[in-house]
Amino acid sequence: MRLPCVPGQSGPIDLDYSADGVDLTVFERATMPEAAVALESAAALLVRAQSLDSYSVCLQLAFYEAGQRESGEDPTLRAVFGILPGVEVPVPFDFTWLDGQTLFAPRTLGRLKMTLFGKRIRRDDIASIVLSATPGFPGRRLRLWSCELLDDIPLIDIPVKPLIDELGQWLPGEWPGKVPDRAACSAGLRAMADSEDARYGIDGEPGGGPDRESDPRGNESHSPHAVEHPYAAFPVWDRFGGWTGRRFEATGWFRVERETNPDGTPGRFWLVDPEGGAFLSTGVDCVGAGIQTRLDPMRPWLDAHTAGLLDQAIAKAAAGSGSGREGTNAATDFGDPSFSWRHDPAGCNGVNASYDYGQANLRVAFGDDWYEAWTRITRNHLTDWGVNTIGNWSDRRFIRRAGIPYVLPADELNGGFPKTETMLFRDFPDAFSPEYARDAERYAQGLLPWKDETNLIGYFMRNEPNWAFVYDLNIAEEMLANPADLVSKWRFVEWLKERYNGEVDALNAAWAASFASFDAIIAEPRFRLATALPGSLDDLRAFSTLLIDRYVRVPAEALRRIDPHHLNLGMRYAYITDRSLLAGADCYDVFSINSYQRTAYDQVEQVGRMLDMPVIVGEFHHGALDRGLTAHGIRGVTTQTERGVAYRYYVEQAARSPYFVGAHYFQYNDQSPLGRFDGENYQIGLVDVCMQEYPEMAEAMRACHRSLYEVAAGERGAFDRIPEEINPIHY
């Protein structure tokens, strides 16, 4: 059934939109009775759109309940997704996602990333569906076809139109610094690897350090760092990147120190490096050789080489042969080690396939020595920029060799963050189950190969839990809506009995309920209990805090038993959606947030004051559209020059807070123009696919890092030029 975007629509419509975006009601229960009937059994809602300018477009489907739009409330559920410019893309929304359990939707042909925000919503409760284009900037144009309610998930067919070249660059565009061909790319890479700075290689030896044997877990064994001082351009830094202008007791490990003000009151927090230098962590995430392009959703738009590799993988998968099973890198199947694939029913054409153009460029330039060359180039970039921390998700071989402090994602060391067979909500486990405690021990074992590493600052327990993306989330309420028999439900009953001294009448009086027993509360699933029984809200919130505390405490204590020396850097929450997310913070040495703001100062101050503990930023970035990609990322600025301004403003302003102990930029490499594994295609890197640095960013980082310690100590004013921001394209 067709759902026009505007009344009377019969074909595609073209819209101009800029600062205000556009909102189009495609379904209204009160005025569209036939559509309301069709919605009851439809499998999907199909959106068909095309960006008519040079940039990706971000669209949103919002699902409202009665009264929400009229009162200015957010929708119960919304799906935000992206499409590339210049191509018509059909995007199905699978109605099974209405259950609220999915955060990142599986890729479909032609679509970039789709993220779902909010809570579960029942079909009968959907009062309206609104299709929106998020606010843009001058000159933005969009073509939309009527939406459709479909009885089946559709098969999607898109015309072939190559959009990426053999180097991994965006084909339709031109920009300063675009590499013209393969020969120029190889020549540029060789020049970087042979530069005077890069030739003095890892561990103090030209061309790289000595060979090492691997430990039984596949990690390279530790060796002493022969490079005594990698930061020659920063004369007041010690070899760890710490500040010689402030010294504390050296313990041989990174730790936290708090100064005392002259009047005796508590002063600034610092990290302290193993030699006693005051340390602020200026990091970069995802330091690795290249970045993968997800191929199977982009089949019509690939260069000839990768399209051919993908077709071979699809044919092998269809024949039921090949080594590309789940979790297996099948690079050798087709003679190109930069290509990998696996069977995947959720992938397009039954496969999940990727190609690393950046790594392929290195292989062509250096042959078998490509990794050593990448190592020299990358270490030179980081030390030249004044980066004193290798951030999350970075190449583990590199971090053991670079002689630069680093952090680790604990959830990726030994099979993921602890879980239970039946989850409570999204990725939130049955936290009171003995199964959770057992799995926490398995998770903590991942630190064993790293527990004696001097250059390891600490570990993040995990990154951006899916369950924590929901504002005003009440985990206990979601637990009661889950039909599964959960240990945490029974713990809730016992907790209520203790709280009400075993008197169910006292609970009924508080909740305005009529339960025959405490056990009756969990005898059946209860959807939105706090709405049905508002008197239950305080108890549900209190138990939610206990659940989150347990979620943190059990694995944190397991980690501490394995590794008592390194810092627990927290959960890297995407944002603090509710105060209950602070539960368990006494288990951390440093609280972590990912803060995509103009500066993190306000968020760091807020959390730091609430907890009276140091705060580190796990992620931030700014992107621009003047050098080769079609989407900004979460924060957008007008030019590469303004990216540099944005970096300095963000970090130096945040450093004014006495709770601030560091910030890690996301990320080292630009993302792929056609999208990484989940479809992000942001211009957020410090280097492009040919490893060329962005000189404006590089100079700004050097200037920022030279000033940072004095800014934090109050000896110099923070950089205060506000960057020229623009409504960003991100999904």
Side-chain angles (χ1 to χ4, degrees):
M1 180 178 184
R2 294 191 178 277
L3 302 177
C5 295
V6 297
Q9 179 182 1
S10 58
I13 57 169
D14 293 350
L15 302 170
D16 295 322
Y17 72 99
S18 56
D20 296 329
V22 61
D23 291 321
L24 305 169
T25 301
V26 299
F27 171 78
E28 191 77 57
R29 182 176 297 275
T31 60
M32 302 170 66
E34 292 183 8
V37 172
L39 179 62
E40 293 176 7
S41 58
L45 173 64
L46 186 71
V47 175
R48 188 180 298 270
Q50 180 178 352
S51 172
L52 298 177
D53 51 52
S54 300
Y55 311 115
S56 297
V57 65
C58 179
L59 299 173
Q60 174 179 280
L61 277 172
F63 297 85
Y64 288 92
E65 297 186 50
Q68 287 180 330
R69 288 186 76 190
E70 295 79 359
S71 61
E73 296 179 52
D74 289 333
T76 299
L77 185 75
R78 59 190 179 95
V80 177
F81 58 94
I83 61 173
L84 290 165
V87 285
E88 178 186 332
V89 183
V91 178
F93 178 90
D94 187 335
F95 282 134
T96 63
W97 300 334
L98 295 175
D99 66 4
Q101 297 295 324
T102 299
L103 178 61
F104 301 116
R107 299 286 297 278
T108 55
L109 191 66
R111 195 203 75 218
L112 296 169
K113 185 177 182 181
M114 178 184 280
T115 308
L116 283 80
F117 299 93
K119 305 177 183 179
R120 70 184 75 194
I121 184 171
R122 295 179 295 196
R123 294 190 194 219
D124 289 347
D125 292 331
I126 298 173
S128 60
I129 303 174
V130 177
L131 175 64
S132 303
T134 58
F137 43 85
R140 301 244 55 194
R141 299 183 66 237
L142 173 68
R143 178 169 294 161
L144 291 171
W145 286 257
S146 292
C147 297
E148 296 179 78
L149 287 172
L150 302 176
D151 293 332
D152 299 293
I153 303 295
L155 294 175
I156 298 172
D157 184 33
I158 299 174
V160 173
K161 180 182 181 180
L163 296 176
I164 197 168
D165 68 15
E166 64 173 343
L167 303 179
Q169 299 176 117
W170 180 243
L171 196 57
E174 296 294 332
W175 59 90
K178 185 175 185 179
V179 179
D181 53 36
R182 170 66 69 193
C185 177
S186 293
L189 286 167
R190 292 183 191 123
M192 283 186 268
D194 291 339
S195 72
E196 191 67 31
D197 290 331
R199 277 203 303 272
Y200 192 71
I202 300 299
D203 296 308
E205 297 187 10
D211 292 336
R212 295 167 178 77
E213 296 180 358
S214 296
D215 72 15
R217 294 173 180 81
N219 298 297
E220 285 203 350
S221 59
H222 172 72
S223 72
H225 303 292
V227 178
E228 288 300 320
H229 198 310
Y231 297 105
F234 299 85
V236 296
W237 289 16
D238 63 26
R239 70 184 183 94
F240 291 98
W243 187 33
T244 58
R246 199 69 107 243
R247 307 295 296 177
F248 301 99
E249 179 186 358
T251 65
W253 307 99
F254 280 91
R255 63 184 184 86
V256 170
E257 177 85 15
R258 192 173 198 179
E259 291 182 312
T260 301
N261 292 323
D263 63 0
T265 59
R268 160 171 270 288
F269 284 101
W270 295 96
L271 300 180
V272 178
D273 71 33
E275 293 183 346
F279 188 89
L280 296 178
S281 180
T282 57
V284 175
D285 291 325
C286 304
V287 178
I291 189 166
Q292 292 188 333
T293 297
R294 176 81 180 272
L295 299 183
D296 53 291
M298 299 285 119
R299 170 61 186 85
W301 304 327
L302 301 175
D303 65 286
H305 176 64
T306 56
L309 293 170
L310 177 59
D311 287 346
Q312 292 181 71
I314 291 170
K316 251 190 176 180
S321 61
S323 59
R325 284 178 283 275
E326 184 75 27
T328 301
N329 184 313
T332 56
D333 280 357
F334 311 119
D336 188 336
S338 297
F339 175 71
S340 61
W341 73 281
R342 57 183 169 86
H343 292 277
D344 183 2
C348 298
N349 291 302
V351 301
N352 184 312
S354 296
Y355 193 80
D356 195 321
Y357 287 92
Q359 206 173 98
N361 294 339
L362 288 160
R363 290 179 191 276
V364 172
F366 302 106
D368 292 341
D369 294 330
W370 70 270
Y371 184 82
E372 291 298 328
W374 172 81
T375 298
R376 294 197 301 275
I377 295 168
T378 297
R379 185 178 180 280
N380 185 52
H381 277 328
L382 297 180
T383 56
D384 176 57
W385 300 335
V387 170
N388 67 9
T389 305
I390 302 171
N392 244 23
W393 309 295
S394 295
D395 183 282
R396 294 182 202 167
R397 184 181 175 194
F398 176 73
I399 64 179
R400 285 191 183 271
R401 305 177 67 194
I404 298 172
Y406 60 89
V407 297
L408 289 171
D411 57 324
E412 296 203 353
L413 299 179
N414 193 36
F417 193 80
K419 53 188 175 295
T420 53
E421 183 175 357
T422 302
M423 303 298 271
L424 192 155
F425 171 72
R426 291 189 178 177
D427 56 350
F428 195 99
D430 190 359
F432 280 97
S433 169
E435 179 189 3
Y436 184 60
R438 290 193 298 270
D439 205 43
E441 296 296 333
R442 180 272 310 159
Y443 156 79
Q445 293 293 312
L447 280 180
L448 275 174
W450 305 89
K451 65 185 183 68
D452 298 322
E453 289 284 319
T454 301
N455 268 9
L456 173 59
I457 298 169
Y459 49 84
F460 293 100
M461 292 182 66
R462 70 164 304 176
N463 182 69
E464 296 187 350
N466 289 1
W467 58 267
F469 275 80
V470 180
Y471 278 95
D472 299 319
L473 176 66
N474 190 318
I475 286 285
E477 186 177 48
E478 294 294 339
M479 174 187 72
L480 295 177
N482 189 328
D485 184 19
L486 301 164
V487 175
S488 296
K489 284 185 179 180
W490 291 102
R491 180 67 188 93
F492 178 58
V493 168
E494 293 305 311
W495 179 80
L496 287 174
K497 288 178 180 177
E498 295 167 10
R499 196 168 175 87
Y500 289 96
N501 299 313
E503 299 291 336
V504 72
D505 288 344
L507 178 139
N508 285 331
W511 287 19
S514 57
F515 294 111
S517 67
F518 287 96
D519 292 0
I521 297 170
I522 62 170
E524 60 185 62
R526 301 195 180 277
F527 181 71
R528 294 188 186 170
L529 182 63
T531 301
L533 299 173
S536 68
L537 182 59
D538 287 345
D539 287 339
L540 292 173
R541 283 178 172 166
F543 194 73
S544 290
T545 301
L546 292 178
L547 282 165
I548 295 170
D549 182 271
R550 177 87 176 173
Y551 172 84
V552 172
R553 191 170 304 280
V554 170
E557 291 177 349
L559 291 164
R560 191 74 76 187
R561 286 192 291 272
I562 293 292
D563 181 356
H565 298 299
H566 294 112
L567 298 175
N568 184 324
L569 302 174
M571 287 283 179
R572 293 172 67 108
Y573 287 119
Y575 29 75
I576 304 303
T577 56
D578 188 87
R579 191 182 177 92
S580 63
L581 270 65
L582 306 181
D586 60 298
C587 296
Y588 312 139
D589 298 294
V590 179
F591 194 89
S592 54
I593 53 173
N594 295 341
S595 176
Y596 288 94
Q597 307 296 324
R598 182 177 291 165
T599 176
Y601 175 82
D602 288 340
Q603 287 182 295
V604 168
E605 275 284 298
Q606 179 187 29
V607 174
R609 288 178 183 275
M610 285 192 293
L611 296 174
D612 198 29
M613 68 186 302
V615 180
I616 193 168
V617 176
E619 294 178 23
F620 73 101
H621 66 224
H622 294 76
L625 300 179
D626 57 349
R627 304 271 175 89
L629 283 96
T630 63
H632 299 94
I634 298 176
R635 301 292 293 197
V637 293
T638 54
T639 65
Q640 296 301 316
T641 297
E642 291 305 304
R643 284 186 73 205
V645 171
Y647 184 91
R648 286 200 68 181
Y649 187 85
Y650 185 99
V651 176
E652 293 190 36
Q653 288 293 317
R656 295 187 299 114
S657 170
Y659 303 101
F660 174 84
V661 293
H664 297 174
Y665 184 85
F666 189 91
Q667 58 183 30
Y668 181 61
N669 296 286
D670 270 338
Q671 294 180 336
S672 168
L674 297 186
R676 63 173 192 176
F677 67 94
D678 62 355
E680 286 187 8
N681 65 331
Y682 302 155
Q683 195 282 303
I684 53 175
L686 304 177
V687 298
D688 66 16
V689 72
C690 297
M691 289 203 73
Q692 298 178 121
E693 70 176 12
Y694 290 97
E696 300 91 340
M697 276 291 284
E699 180 52 41
M701 292 175 74
R702 285 189 288 267
C704 174
H705 300 156
R706 287 192 190 102
S707 302
L708 188 62
Y709 284 116
E710 292 176 345
V711 171
E715 298 174 7
R716 176 186 292 207
F719 182 81
D720 61 0
R721 185 188 146 193
I722 297 174
E724 295 177 9
E725 292 195 287
I726 193 170
N727 285 326
I729 304 168
H730 73 98
Y731 354 95

